[in-house]
């Protein structure tokens, strides 16, 4: 493809920039052009003051004429956790992002995506009106992704290191030099006139135990905790510093404040508590989509792709979907008739609905018998199945047996190995070792069986689930969730009428105190129809190319002197209480339960308990916390009412926040370190799920960051700050000899690009290496600016291949590889767990009770098992608060002005019947009261909400982040009411008095933050 460059305003007139579009929209463009009504002459008579396009394409010949004043950087959007590939148009002269749309190669932004071998210039043509391709190949950013660029130039951005003046949280800051920041953070001292504060050098002791009486807690280096945000492609760098080099076990992302209950439900179903895999539907081919606790098209993940494919399915009629949600969202459309349905439900009770469905499905034989009855992978394959489950495995259900709760092993009966489970052969009715069974086994069985001279009760896993579901009648389930019995039955009937092309999906809407079992129940529906790995069924995603994991060019996780984290995290996750010294000590003198604080042996990424553990100094005191890319003071329901604890330096002496803004969390810290913002940093990531092919998305600095730079010339950011801290402390894995290549030769890690460009090289060379980028690819995407950095860091043979990956915004397997016949190409291999033995093995550390091993209905509870409804009876607390997601705003985007213009505030959504009863109308002000807090908001009366529920969109009601007065030395920031508009639901969050110390309400199995279904009352203001 030949590209021409011309004067672009001329080019615009000559061939019609974005040719056909401009001509067809002339009158509209004229109308919107600045000054038309004021008599001002616009820049261009045809296109008005619209941005000049990046290129024009001759409608006759397809010739691409590039605009020399712009480049188009394919990269990554991190304005929400969907992590879409975007295409940022940048002005070469001003170095400003002009506009953001979707990366046409990226499956999260378009369907179908362009093939990876299409050159950049051809991607321009494919997106133009040439031969009508433009609409077909349209690739978009959502409204949030479009407007997030406003954040880059927000005058409230932190551009220099800041140190607090006066007490914590007072909002007074002094700008300090980078050198002072490094010196004080590393060396400590009497930093605030409040006494000695240990710096990172003193804290890093990887040998001495924190507590010699409890050596399992690990070394003193664990007294630094790094509390981070979502996997935005930079987390592994922070982990290299905190875990692999500094030697702290205390490193977490934000999962425990986001979708941990959903992830836990899938971890149980998929039998992997380490990697926490999860599933999403094959949206393109499923025919019945049941969504519970997520709002595709409004929020959820991947937000934009779900919305696109749902809209398409709605218009073509190839899918019916039902959204179960207390609040009606944009996911539904009346115009699509019966193809989309909103089903209101009482918050926190989805588990009752689903267990009612499960009961009906099993009672009526509507489950997939062929799938469920296969006892092992070989039998499943022989039967033509693409996955299998443990539905037929025998579970010991005898409280008198030491084996109670375990799955019976074949060696106990002398019929096989200790690794093999026992099943009842369908043909003979006899117990056989599961790995020796060569055909289907019985699905239902509840008998006693002789094990070592004792008759013990056993049941198949499916029988255990069935018996659990039968503990309540459909009428009781209906009463609990507010969904009529006939609707529960109809949903179960419908769900089981589409074969393997019915899917049940969930996400963060299960963040409630019974959230884990709710999520396990919802995802269990997929096992009952056997849809895993099938076209139109559920998928674990296509995976990613090697990047951080040892890759073909460099090993990014191995280096001389690497330490790694040891011991117990401050959140008590992934470690059973029964292995602690505290347990052993208490057991010697009597009942070891309750523990002095809750333990969460199955949890991962438990951010809320990192904060609470630090504030409670349990199981040990923290000396420093580093927050990055996260805002738990705003995002953790119930935390903001207890800020006096965070402000007490005796609890945690040193708080550092790396952030672009003075968020609610940053405002409570001792130091704020500026960070780069989206489009300004390097990153390497992959979609969470919901795509079927292999995808690695990369981000790289499309524009320069505005903040102060380090002596090496890099903007101060998480990466440059940690590199300089590490080098000052002589930590391993940083400096001149840090990253081994495939031959073992060590390469430097002195600047952010030293890490990311080598990681991109791994992506480029994984499997068959990508092609080389040519000059044209590099010029059109602005990588020509980058050529010196590529040459400085990479080997000659790597430079153009890395440039190819960067120019395309990542590496993407062809979507043609999505399927093999009726199945998915990328399959999840392990069996689905109808009964999860690991779950059943662990106990609630507050009560000593064992967790139940399969899905079940439990109403919202405190950690000690007491029902919330007993403490907060409906007579006194008649409403339930529920958090909903905005399609515009999230916790970090309030500084995007265009988003605020679209949605300036949130409202208190209330059902019309409730409003009538209370004499309230839209626009009235209402005070919400929970046991922990109050807030005043504006009512919006609507029919699209469950009666008795108040819905509040997340993302509004900030009290820091620009909403309050603040000083940076001489610079005074005045409060901006645009940032504080609306209500932050998390300020109304509850505590849990059934546990000692500082608390927020949590899921009783995993400790995930509980923010849905908060009991409340309302008062008219
Ligand atoms: S859904 Fe929107 S905000 Fe989220 S990553 Fe994609 S484009 Fe960005």
């Amino acid at each position: 493809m030949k590209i021409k460059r011309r004067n672009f305003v001329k080019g615009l007139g000559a061939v019609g920039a974005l040719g056909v579009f401009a001509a067809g929209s002339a009158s509209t463009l004229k109308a919107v052009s600045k000054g038309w009504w004021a008599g001002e002459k616009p820049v261009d008579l045809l296109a008005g003051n619209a941005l000049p396009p990046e290129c024009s394409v001759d409608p006759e010949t397809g010739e691409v004429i590039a605009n020399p004043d712009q480049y188009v950087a394919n990269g990554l959007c991190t304005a929400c956790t969907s992590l879409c590939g975007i295409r940022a148009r940048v002005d070469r002269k001003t170095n400003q992002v002009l506009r953001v749309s979707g990366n046409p190669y990226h499956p999260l932004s378009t369907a179908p995506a362009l093939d990876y071998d299409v050159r950049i210039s051809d991607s321009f043509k494919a997106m133009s009106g040439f031969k009508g391709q433009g609409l077909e190949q349209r690739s978009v950013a959502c409204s949030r992704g479009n407007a997030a660029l406003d954040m880059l130039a927000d005058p409230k951005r932190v551009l220099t290191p800041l140190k607090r003046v006066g007490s914590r949280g007072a909002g007074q800051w002094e700008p300090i030099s980078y050198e002072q920041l490094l010196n004080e953070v590393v060396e400590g001292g009497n930093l605030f006139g409040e006494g000695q504060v240990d710096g990172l050098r003193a804290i890093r002791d990887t040998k001495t135990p924190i507590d010699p009486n409890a050596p399992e807690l690990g070394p003193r280096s664990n007294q630094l905790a790094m509390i981070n945000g979502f996997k935005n492609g930079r987390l592994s760098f922070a982990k290299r510093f905190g875990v692999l080099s500094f030697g702290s076990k205390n490193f977490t992302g934000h999962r425990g404040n986001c979708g941990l209950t959903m992830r836990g439900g899938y971890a149980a179903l998929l039998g992997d508590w380490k990697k926490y895999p999860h599933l999403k539907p094959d949206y393109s081919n499923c025919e019945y989509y049941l969504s519970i606790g997520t709002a595709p098209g409004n929020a959820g993940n991947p937000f934009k792709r779900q919305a696109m494919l749902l809209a398409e399915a709605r218009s073509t009629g190839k899918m019916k979907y039902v959204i179960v949600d207390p609040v009606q969202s944009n996911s539904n459309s009346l115009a699509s008739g019966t193809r989309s349905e909103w089903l209101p439900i009482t918050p926190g009770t989805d588990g009752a609905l689903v267990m009612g469905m499960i009961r009906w499905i099993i009672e009526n034989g509507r489950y997939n018998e062929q799938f469920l009855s296969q006892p092992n992978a070989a039998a499943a394959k022989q039967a033509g199945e693409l996955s299998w489950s443990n539905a037929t495995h025998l579970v010991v259900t005898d409280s008198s047996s030491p084996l109670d709760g375990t799955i019976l092993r074949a060696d106990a009966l002398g019929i096989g190995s200790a690794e093999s489970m026992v099943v009842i052969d369908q043909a003979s009715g006899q117990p056989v070792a599961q790995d020796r069974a060569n055909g289907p086994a019985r699905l239902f069985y509840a008998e006693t069986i002789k094990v070592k001279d004792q008759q013990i009760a056993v049941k198949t896993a499916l029988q255990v689930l069935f018996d659990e579901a039968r503990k309540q009648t459909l009428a009781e389930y209906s009463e609990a969730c507010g969904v009529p019995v006939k609707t529960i039955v109809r949903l179960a009937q419908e769900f089981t009428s589409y074969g393997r092309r019915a899917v049940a999906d969930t996400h963060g809407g299960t963040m409630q105190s019974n959230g884990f079992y709710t999520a396990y129940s919802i995802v269990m529906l997929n096992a009952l129809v056997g849809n895993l790995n099938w076209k139109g069924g559920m998928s674990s995603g296509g995976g990613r190319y090697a990047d951080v994991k040892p890759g073909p060019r460099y090993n990014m996780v191995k280096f001389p002197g690497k330490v790694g984290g040891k011991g117990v995290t401050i959140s008590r996750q992934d470690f059973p209480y029964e292995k602690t010294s505290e347990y052993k000590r208490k057991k010697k003198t009597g009942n070891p339960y309750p523990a002095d604080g809750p333990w969460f042996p199955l949890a991962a990424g438990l951010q809320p308990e990192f904060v609470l553990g630090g504030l409670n100094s349990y199981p040990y005191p923290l000396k420093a916390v580093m927050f990055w890319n996260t805002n738990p003071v705003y995002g953790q329901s119930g935390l903001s009412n207890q800020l006096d604890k965070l402000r007490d330096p005796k609890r945690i002496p040193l708080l550092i926040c790396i952030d672009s803004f003075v968020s609610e969390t940053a405002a409570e810290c001792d130091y704020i370190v500026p960070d780069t913002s989206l489009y300004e940093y390097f990153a390497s990531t992959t979609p969470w799920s919901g795509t079927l092919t292999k995808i690695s998305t990369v981000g790289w600095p499309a524009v320069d960051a505005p903040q102060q730079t380090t002596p090496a010339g890099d903007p101060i950011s998480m990466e440059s700050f940690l590199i300089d801290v590490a080098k000052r402390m002589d930590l391993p894995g940083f400096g001149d000899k840090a990253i081994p290549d495939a031959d073992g030769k060590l390469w430097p890690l002195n600047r952010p690009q030293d890490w990311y460009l080598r990681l991109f090289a791994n992506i480029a060379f994984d499997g068959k290496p990508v092609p080389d980028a040519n000059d044209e690819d590099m010029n059109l995407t602005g990588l020509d600016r980058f050529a010196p950095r590529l040459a400085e860091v990479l080997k000659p043979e790597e430079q153009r291949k890395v440039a190819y990956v960067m120019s395309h915004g990542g590496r993407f397997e062809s979507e043609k590889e999505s399927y093999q016949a009726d199945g998915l190409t990328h399959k999840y291999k392990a069996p689905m767990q109808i009964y999860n033995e690991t779950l059943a093995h662990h106990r609630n550390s507050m009560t000593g009770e064992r967790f139940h091993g399969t899905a079940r209905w439990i109403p919202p509870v405190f950690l000690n098992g007491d029902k919330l409804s007993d403490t907060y009876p409906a007579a006194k607390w008649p409403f339930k608060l529920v958090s909903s997601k905005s399609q515009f705003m999230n916790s970090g985007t309030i500084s995007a002005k265009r988003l605020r213009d679209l949605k300036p505030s949130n409202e208190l959504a209330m059902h019309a019947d409730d409003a009538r009863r209370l004499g309230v109308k839209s626009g009235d002000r209402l005070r919400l009261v929970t046991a922990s807090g109050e807030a005043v908001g504006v009512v919006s009366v609507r029919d699209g909400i469950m009666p008795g529920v108040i819905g509040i969109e997340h993302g509004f009601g900030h009290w820091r982040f620009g909403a309050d007065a603040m000083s940076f030395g001489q610079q005074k920031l005045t409060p901006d009411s645009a940032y504080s508009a609306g209500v932050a639901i998390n300020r109304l969050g509850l505590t849990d008095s059934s546990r000692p110390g500082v608390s927020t309400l949590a899921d009783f199995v995993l400790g995930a933050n509980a923010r849905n279904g908060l009991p409340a009352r309302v008062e008219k203001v």
Side-chain angles (χ1 to χ4, degrees):
M1 162 60 49
K2 254 201 140 52
I3 298 277
K4 284 191 183 164
R5 290 174 180 272
R6 292 186 191 162
N7 173 307
F8 219 70
V9 176
K10 252 196 237 158
L12 189 74
V15 289
L18 292 180
V20 181
F21 167 73
S25 310
S27 59
T28 314
L29 287 170
K30 267 190 194 169
V32 299
S33 63
K34 180 182 155 215
W36 179 73
W37 53 88
E40 286 175 28
K41 193 177 172 205
V43 172
D44 186 88
L45 285 176
L46 187 62
N49 291 326
L51 283 175
E54 66 273 38
C55 72
S56 69
V57 178
D58 189 307
E60 299 300 322
T61 65
E63 181 185 23
V64 175
I65 301 163
N67 182 344
D69 298 330
Q70 296 181 19
Y71 58 86
V72 176
N74 287 317
L76 170 70
C77 179
T78 49
C80 85
T81 58
S82 294
L83 302 170
C84 298
I86 49 86
R87 183 179 191 264
R89 269 209 275 154
V90 182
D91 185 309
R92 273 190 188 269
K93 289 199 192 95
T94 62
N95 195 233
Q96 302 285 309
V97 179
L98 300 171
R99 186 155 295 170
V100 175
S101 58
N103 176 355
Y105 298 100
H106 203 288
L108 285 186
S109 297
T110 184
L114 278 183
D115 269 349
Y116 193 59
D117 53 9
V118 171
R119 288 282 166 184
I120 299 298
S121 55
D122 287 327
S123 77
F124 284 17
K125 189 163 70 171
M127 296 177 77
S128 76
F130 180 65
K131 293 190 177 166
Q133 297 171 86
L135 279 180
E136 170 78 2
Q137 213 55 65
R138 191 161 170 260
S139 185
V140 295
C142 73
S143 51
R144 185 166 43 217
N146 258 293
L149 63 92
D150 283 357
M151 299 183 343
L152 304 187
D154 190 311
K156 297 180 180 68
R157 249 185 103 164
V158 176
L159 301 178
T160 58
L162 298 173
K163 178 181 179 181
R164 76 169 156 96
V165 180
S167 56
R168 263 189 199 159
Q172 311 293 313
W173 303 93
E174 62 167 337
I176 56 172
S177 70
Y178 188 54
E179 174 60 26
Q180 183 184 345
L181 169 76
L182 292 174
N183 188 50
E184 294 189 1
V185 163
V186 171
E187 308 302 344
N190 186 1
L191 302 174
F192 308 99
E194 299 163 352
Q196 171 68 22
V197 178
D198 280 354
L200 298 184
R201 192 187 300 282
I203 296 170
R204 185 179 186 262
D205 174 348
T206 58
K207 301 269 179 329
T208 313
I210 301 171
D211 181 351
N213 295 320
E216 74 278 4
L217 300 179
R220 290 183 179 174
S221 50
N222 284 349
Q223 290 182 287
L224 166 69
M226 291 185 71
I227 300 180
N228 310 280
F230 64 97
K231 286 186 180 173
N232 64 355
R234 302 166 71 198
L235 203 56
S236 50
F237 186 95
K239 192 169 186 180
R240 179 183 180 98
F241 173 88
V243 180
L244 305 186
S245 182
F246 191 92
S248 174
K249 179 89 173 171
N250 283 316
F251 185 94
T252 187
H254 81 152
R255 191 184 296 168
N257 277 330
C258 187
L260 177 59
T261 47
M262 172 277 288
R263 295 292 296 269
Y266 275 121
L269 182 73
L270 300 174
D272 188 343
W273 297 99
K274 294 294 171 204
K275 293 194 189 127
Y276 261 68
H278 71 296
L279 307 177
K280 282 284 167 191
D282 170 11
Y283 300 105
S284 304
N285 289 291
C286 61
E287 293 173 3
Y288 186 85
Y289 176 33
L290 178 61
S291 165
I292 306 177
T294 182
N298 206 77
N301 196 333
F303 163 45
K304 196 174 64 187
R305 180 174 158 84
Q306 281 178 335
M308 288 190 306
L309 295 177
L310 226 63
E312 188 191 324
R314 199 159 57 209
S315 59
T316 60
K318 65 182 183 186
M319 180 211 293
K320 163 159 188 175
Y321 65 86
V322 180
I323 311 290
V324 181
D325 195 325
V327 185
Q328 187 177 27
S329 67
N330 294 332
S331 309
N332 294 98
S333 162
L334 286 179
S336 63
T338 55
R339 297 206 288 267
S340 94
E341 177 185 345
W342 167 59
L343 181 62
I345 190 165
T346 302
T349 66
D350 317 69
L353 165 74
V354 176
M355 288 308 289
M357 288 177 68
I358 289 175
R359 175 179 179 144
W360 187 90
I361 288 169
I362 298 178
E363 267 176 353
N364 290 277
R366 299 277 295 219
Y367 50 86
N368 185 334
E369 183 173 352
Q370 177 180 290
F371 163 72
L372 290 167
S373 60
Q374 307 306 325
N376 59 43
K381 190 171 178 197
Q382 199 180 342
E385 293 295 330
L386 300 180
S387 62
W388 62 289
S389 80
N390 70 358
T392 58
H393 298 185
L394 292 189
V395 179
V396 178
T397 54
D398 194 325
S399 56
S400 69
S401 167
L403 297 176
D404 187 35
T406 62
I407 295 184
L408 190 61
R409 301 304 199 272
D411 65 332
L413 301 185
I415 58 172
S417 73
E419 282 73 49
S420 182
M421 320 296 168
V422 178
V423 299
I424 303 296
D425 181 58
Q426 205 172 72
S428 66
Q430 294 302 308
V432 292
Q434 152 252 349
D435 61 353
R436 293 182 188 170
N438 50 17
R442 278 205 198 169
L443 278 175
F444 297 98
Y445 185 84
E447 299 286 345
T448 60
I449 208 163
K450 196 167 184 185
V451 177
K452 294 186 182 134
D453 299 331
Q454 192 194 346
Q455 285 291 133
I456 59 171
V458 295
K459 292 177 182 176
T460 61
L462 192 65
Q463 183 82 50
V464 177
L465 175 65
F466 186 30
D467 290 349
E468 189 62 35
R470 283 195 293 192
K471 283 189 176 159
Q472 308 245 359
T473 64
L474 289 190
E476 287 168 329
Y477 285 129
S478 167
E479 192 184 336
C481 67
V483 177
V485 168
K486 70 176 188 321
T487 309
I488 298 176
V489 170
R490 183 200 20 110
L491 275 189
Q493 261 170 343
E494 283 182 5
F495 185 76
T496 52
S497 298
Y498 291 80
R500 303 176 199 272
R501 295 200 178 204
V503 292
D505 189 22
T506 186
H507 214 92
T510 54
M511 291 294 279
Q512 55 223 25
S513 64
N514 60 355
F516 163 73
Y517 276 112
T518 299
Y520 193 16
S521 308
I522 295 168
V523 301
M524 183 68 76
L525 289 170
N526 296 299
L528 294 183
V529 294
N531 63 17
L532 178 59
N533 296 331
W534 289 86
K535 191 174 191 173
M538 294 298 273
S539 156
S540 58
R544 69 199 293 175
Y545 293 90
D547 54 359
V548 178
K549 293 268 161 57
R553 304 298 290 185
Y554 299 96
N555 190 330
M556 310 303 285
V557 290
K558 193 175 166 197
F559 50 84
K562 173 178 152 179
V563 187
K566 296 185 186 68
V568 172
T569 61
I570 191 76
S571 60
R572 292 93 54 218
Q573 69 188 46
D574 192 25
F575 198 93
Y577 167 58
E578 292 75 13
K579 283 193 180 169
T580 64
S581 302
E582 178 192 332
Y583 173 88
K584 288 168 196 155
R585 213 169 38 244
K586 284 182 174 171
K587 192 152 187 253
K588 271 190 198 150
T589 54
N591 186 354
Y593 300 100
D596 290 348
W599 291 68
F600 302 100
L602 294 164
L606 195 48
Q607 186 182 87
E609 294 294 334
F610 271 73
V611 177
L612 298 175
L615 295 180
N616 288 321
S617 297
Y618 179 75
Y620 49 83
L622 289 182
K623 290 189 170 178
V625 171
M626 212 184 278
F627 296 99
W628 168 66
N629 186 35
T630 191
N631 187 5
V633 172
Y634 182 85
Q636 181 169 339
S637 180
L639 184 62
S640 60
N641 296 318
Q642 308 178 75
L643 289 182
D644 55 322
K645 319 289 191 312
L646 197 59
R647 288 177 182 167
D648 178 1
K650 291 194 189 67
R651 290 183 186 252
I652 307 175
L654 182 60
L655 298 178
I656 302 160
C657 190
I658 308 171
D659 205 322
S660 305
F661 291 93
V662 186
S663 69
E664 281 74 13
T665 301
E668 304 300 335
C669 288
D670 302 315
Y671 294 92
I672 305 179
V673 182
D675 196 17
T676 38
S677 189
L678 73 175
Y679 319 135
E680 295 170 352
Y681 47 64
F682 291 101
S684 171
T685 187
T686 190
W688 290 74
S689 200
T691 45
L692 305 178
T693 47
K694 215 182 220 196
I695 296 173
S696 283
T697 315
V698 306
W700 47 278
V703 291
D704 298 329
Q707 63 260 41
Q708 193 180 317
T709 55
T710 67
D714 299 309
I716 301 173
S717 66
M718 178 272 284
E719 289 89 347
S720 54
F721 171 64
L722 294 182
I723 288 171
D724 289 335
V725 168
K727 288 172 70 174
R728 190 165 283 235
M729 292 176 66
D730 285 325
L731 293 184
F734 293 86
D736 291 337
K737 295 191 169 179
I739 301 174
D741 67 13
D743 299 324
K745 185 179 173 194
L746 291 169
W747 295 83
L749 177 43
N750 290 317
R751 305 181 67 181
Q753 57 260 37
D754 292 337
W755 166 269
Y756 288 101
L757 293 180
R758 293 194 173 89
L759 188 148
F760 294 171
N762 278 343
I763 296 174
F765 284 84
D766 189 9
K768 185 183 171 205
V770 303
D772 286 355
N774 57 30
D775 288 349
E776 189 180 89
D777 294 331
M778 295 183 70
N779 289 340
L780 291 175
T781 54
L783 277 169
D784 46 345
R785 296 162 55 248
F786 248 83
R789 282 202 245 183
L790 294 172
E792 195 181 287
V793 175
L794 297 172
K795 299 173 188 175
E797 70 274 19
E798 294 168 345
Q799 294 167 19
R800 289 282 173 155
K801 295 200 183 300
V802 167
Y804 194 90
V805 170
M806 291 168 75
S807 68
H808 283 65
R811 187 172 178 185
F812 314 105
E813 185 182 28
S814 169
E815 287 183 301
K816 294 182 192 109
E817 304 300 324
S818 299
Y819 304 105
Q820 287 173 344
D822 271 347
L824 305 180
T825 302
H826 297 280
K827 297 185 180 67
Y828 187 79
K829 301 270 174 16
M832 291 173 115
Q833 308 284 299
I834 307 299
Y835 182 88
N836 190 295
E837 186 183 44
T838 309
L839 170 64
H841 171 75
H842 286 293
R843 292 175 187 273
N844 180 329
S845 60
M846 305 312 285
T847 64
E849 278 175 34
R850 254 193 15 233
F851 295 127
H852 181 71
T854 193
R856 69 184 328 194
W857 160 238
I858 298 268
V861 288
F862 294 103
L863 288 186
N864 69 350
D866 289 353
K867 287 185 195 166
L868 251 66
S869 56
D870 290 343
T871 302
Y872 303 113
K876 192 171 170 202
W877 306 95
F879 282 91
K880 290 205 164 32
L881 305 186
V882 63
S883 151
S884 61
K885 285 276 180 79
S886 159
Q887 74 272 38
F888 299 123
M889 206 58 86
N890 62 26
S891 61
T893 51
I894 194 68
S895 58
K897 181 174 179 309
R898 272 176 286 183
L899 289 181
R900 295 199 307 267
D901 291 345
L902 283 167
K903 176 85 185 169
S905 179
N906 63 2
E907 304 89 29
L908 311 180
M910 174 184 267
H911 192 271
D913 291 349
D914 293 325
R916 248 189 310 276
R917 188 166 42 78
L918 296 171
V920 167
K921 58 185 183 320
S922 284
D924 285 354
R925 285 159 61 78
L926 209 59
R927 177 176 290 110
L928 297 180
V929 183
T930 66
S932 297
E934 306 185 357
V936 174
V938 175
V939 175
S940 167
V941 177
R942 49 190 290 195
D943 291 322
I945 187 165
M946 183 81 174
V949 173
I950 306 264
I952 305 174
E953 269 189 8
H954 184 51
F956 294 92
H958 285 275
W959 61 98
R960 291 296 174 90
F961 224 121
D964 64 331
M966 204 166 274
S967 73
F968 297 165
Q970 299 307 311
Q971 189 193 351
K972 308 282 178 220
L973 290 186
T974 50
D976 189 338
S977 58
Y979 287 62
S980 57
V983 170
I985 185 172
N986 288 338
R987 296 189 91 170
L988 299 161
L990 300 181
T991 57
D992 183 344
S993 57
S994 81
R995 60 185 277 190
V998 188
S999 67
T1000 53
L1001 190 65
D1003 171 68
F1004 75 101
V1005 178
L1006 297 176
N1009 188 227
R1011 59 172 181 252
N1012 276 330
L1014 305 176
R1017 62 172 186 268
V1018 300
E1019 296 163 3
K1020 226 174 141 182
V1021 177

